[in-house]
Amino acid sequence: MAVYMRRSFSHVKCIRLCACLKVKNILTSDMYFSPDATVGRESESGVHPFPRQLKFPLRPGEPWHDRYSFVMFPQSSSKTPYDTIRQITPRPTSSMTQKPAQKPAMRPARQAADHEDFGSGMDNTLQRVAGRNVDVSRATASMADISALTNIQKMPSKIRITADLPEINYADDDFQTAEAPYGTGQFDHYSIVADKNKKDVHIFAQPGEEVIVHRNSTSEAKMKANKSVTLPAKRSTSKTLQPDPIMKLQRVIGFGGVGKGQACWTTDGKSVVYPSHTLIVSINVDTKRQRFFAGHTEKVSAVCLNASSSLLASGQTGAQSLVRVWGYKEGNCLAIVKTHDHGLCMLEFSVCGRSLCGIGKDAKGQNMIVMWNLAEVERGMLTVTAKAHTDVDVIAAALDPVDSARLVTCGHDNVQLWRVRDGSLRCCSVSLRGGQKRAGISDVCYKTTKETAAGVTIYVSCLSGEVVRIDPDLAAVTSVQSLRSDPSLVESRRPSSCISITAMAASASLFATTSTDGFLRFWMPDFSRVLIEVEHEEPLLQVVFTQDGHRALVSTAVGSLAIVDVATDSYRTLLRAHTDEVLDMAVSEDLLGTVSADGTIRIWSLETSQQLYDFSISGEVPCNISFRSSSSEFACGFLSGRVTVFSVPQAKALTELKQLRGQITGLAYCAGHEGTLCYCDQFGTITLYRTSGTGYRLIRGLPNAVYRHLELAPNALVVSRNGSHIACVGPSEYVVTVMDTAALNEVLRIDVSSVKLPSGAPYPALDTAQQVAFLTSAASHELLVATSGSRLLRFDAWSGKLLAQLQPVHTGACTAVIASVDGRYVLTAGDNCIKVWDSSLRTNVIPQMFIGHSSRINSLCFTADGASLVSAGDSVFYWSFVRSREQKSLDSNDVYRKPELQSNAASLSVHHLIDDIPCRDISTSLNTRTAELITRQGNQRPVTPQNFRQAFEQKEEKEEGKQFSVPKAKKHFKKAMKQSSLAQRRYTALAGQAGLKLNSVIGFNGNSRNNVVWHPETGLFIYTSGCVAIVEDLKDGTQRHLMGHVEEISTLALQHDCQVLVSASGSSGAAACSQMCVWDMQSLACRTVLSQHRTDVQSLDFCLDDRFLLSVGNYQDPKIIIWSTYDWTVTMTTHASYPVHTALWNPFRSCEFMTVGEQGRMTFWLLEENHSNRTLAQLSMHEPDVPDELLYNKLGNVVHFTSACYISDKHLCLGTSSGRLALWDTTTNICIMHWIADESEIGVITGRSERLVTGSQNRLCLWDAAGLTQLSDSSQTLPKVAVSGDMELEGYVTTANFDSALVMVCIKTVV
């Protein structure tokens, strides 16, 4: 305590006495208090009795000192109580038993008697008792029972201890003990340890024992009370999880609190403030950027801003009806006050900004109106100016915009005028016209006017459709007007009738009303006619004007906010939200799906958090949702046991699956080699469906497989990252079962109740599993289990071995567990908060905790890139997940950044840099990106063959080291999952001695891209099946097989003269590199095998004269290699800076080719040959600028270029993943025009003359492209492009081979 006494503080919240003891609820005062002081004698003694805040409860007749201890800090007053700790300067003593020079002052008689009673049974000779070492690293089970220490029991008189507190002086060492003099009382000696670095003091005292310093078990040193000892600095073994903080709240999808005052404008009209349960959100209406004010513990019932938008006031409902005043710009809480007992419903600042009015309930249930003074709000103080209690009903209120001392309230059948005078609120009732009270009053507002002496007029709205005008000076009704709807504003409306007004607002020139029919109407100042009428499908709650009156904000009963611009007659929705608890959610590539207890299924954009679709089934409540891997479909489970599959693009239900008996508690798509869908109900039945195309086939139903408990919902089933396994709690609560997703065959069963503590002792209680999650990293495949005993267990998912455990995780139940995408972190939800742990579950790593949710968190989910986390409960929170620099995976913005081209050149040519460098060696062949790097650094150092080679090697290593994420485009080849491997021992028979010979193959590989070749003139037809290329005669069906690959063939390429075929496969197992087999089509023999790509080959293409072959690797290694078909050697190699989807040669110009790929990237390439030495070729590239209209879709996401085709010697047609076609001028590399061709990704484009054919999902379109080949970048008019014919297909088109007239075609699709 000495450190705290020697310092000054602006305020004190709590004092930490030691590591295990913190004192809260501290009150500070300049007056001297004592429990023994009496009222009326303060001036005589200078000691005041306890104030009301310190009136601690006592039993009848019980002495205060028998129940509580009273310790005073040192005061300057000489009249101090007997148990005050006095701070004096210690004097040196020769020994521990030396008596002080002076005896302590005599105590009052009663106090001395008490002390004599205490010492009567003790020996006068005090003996020193040996100290005890305290091991703070031991488990709490070995220490004293906390409940026994905190339980209040009837005990004898407390021991009163009086001691002198020594002076604390910091020395050069980190720790130093201060010597204490001999004191009067039970303790003769004690020591205090001060930590200069942490600015705190550790004191430990036990009656009859010496002072002991808390330290860990490795320390053996003791403190000596009669000797100053210097201790080494303490070093904590705990580490904080890094980075700190690891998450930051970005957006909230949620709206609504309690009451009508749910939203308000800022003064400039640029932002709107509204509550989202316990959070307060400020959103910019233009940028949609959100700010948050957190601190309330119950739902927020009212928010308001002062006239300058410098202060924000908010109040919460519930038993703790706290009012908080915030600094709006800084976002900090300035003051907190609790005046109302409960039911706070309204807050409003006065026009001058010096007062705040609040209406709520008192302890007796009466309405209480309070006025607070804001003069000292910066110091954290709100003083009550006036307060009044009333029995009349209050449903709405408004403050006078001219006189800050006046306000008006209204109930269902009354109107009351209030005024602050002489520190009290005085009331005057308004007598309605004719003495008859008009039932159904709904709202009240002020409007400034010059017609009254007060400068304002009060308008009261009624559910009967009447507007009552009141003069505040006369407190009388001046007019009553019935409002009727205008049938001319809305078509097919019934004749005008009275409207039922639910809310009203006034601006300088307009009135706005909301009615029960869902209409928002703007009226002339005299209510003579309606200017604007806006219809809604749901009831309206509130309407608020901006300060200038140009815009109005309206809130609806279904959780939405909308803005109406009165000047331009425009309407836009600001936000939408669920009106009840969010039960589950699912994340796809760019969509977020949520299901809520309000009965709706909503689809949101992950980028903007705007609602895109809304689904509902009458009489059903959804409780589970899961997206299919394509993100165009999702399945939803309901409380009734129903499971329905919906289509997002079509916005309709596709199919109904088998209905189970009870509530669906788990539902998940499994993205394996064959898609499956699993779901289970509350009675433990799990069902497996096989998904193929748009069909669903029932595979297996397994009863009593999942534990029967609703608390497992919605996460009863969890799927591994690769979709091959599924885990659940069951069949009992003590067992976790892992099954495969092919047929629900059991793979592993773990009994969590048998897991012991790290010390080897059994767990005190029988532990049960609550939540399960897979933790997948590059080196392991593990399983996380959260138990009812607040433990988190980590098992090996293959062997079931316990790897680590952690306790405690949460004080309550753990409601969700998830691992980060990279497997480095584990996130748990419980106690309305989220905790982030290190995946190793080490106890010395302190987790991070994040709050914001006011109720149970039902679901946690990461986005596909792992950079964001979404949590769902009362609202949907969107967090940015920050990973450390060394752990951060490549972001799409970092991976797909466009190269910086020189501004003075349309293309980048670097042949002048390598005149003296031979380029025959592949390792030193020309890399255009390297050349770009050296060109930008040319001004810094001269370019020589030595530094060019060095820079090239560094750049080559950098390009080869890049890791790209799996492309989202369907056009890109993704190898199928293998279920088998090659035999380790193989036997190859001699020619003519084989016992088995392949005769025919049924089926083909639909997973590959461009793996079907059809030559109409010769009738040659080739396709692949696995690692076999099949040459089939279309007349008689006979087959010949090209066998030489050991992996799946990804693509084919045929020379224009049909003499040579090249097939490519990936690398795995026996093949260290990819295999490109060159086949002679006359003898069907393999000429050679090319191996340069480290991964699968994405694209192959022969140039116009068949002298060069172009090959491009997949996203894992996007290397571009140009082969010479003369001797099948490498002519040129480089690395693309993005995953390439399509690469093709220009069929009209030799040595030109282009590539297109991810993130809207495209590149034009030019191969320049050296005819004197063909090994010294150069490669130039140009990446053109892409228009933003083509680069981004309607949601603002970057599209991918998936297909391309040269339709003339000057024109190129390009297809995107968003279904858009673009025409480019290849002479200037400029986009001429683009148009929407389809709703899905375009996989194939073929053009001949004035006809264009595109293939996409389930569709093949023929376009009339007349006039496209005559366009240039300077054309003023653009031709009309229309579909002249289309064909419905099944699946995504990956390959199309046409004849020269575009009449016959061979198509391959992926179903």
Side-chain angles (χ1 to χ4, degrees), residues 9 68 226 332 681 705 845 1106 1236:
F9 302 93
Y68 304 103
N226 62 340
N332 59 328
D681 68 347
V845 180
D1106 292 333
I1236 299 177

Side-chain angles (χ1 to χ4, degrees), residues 147 354 605 735 745 834 869 1022 1087 1135 1177 1194 1233 1259:
S147 62
R354 293 191 294 268
S605 169
V735 176
N745 296 319
I834 301 173
L869 174 76
I1022 307 172
R1087 292 185 181 180
H1135 273 82
K1194 60 182 180 180
M1233 62 178 293
R1259 191 182 183 194

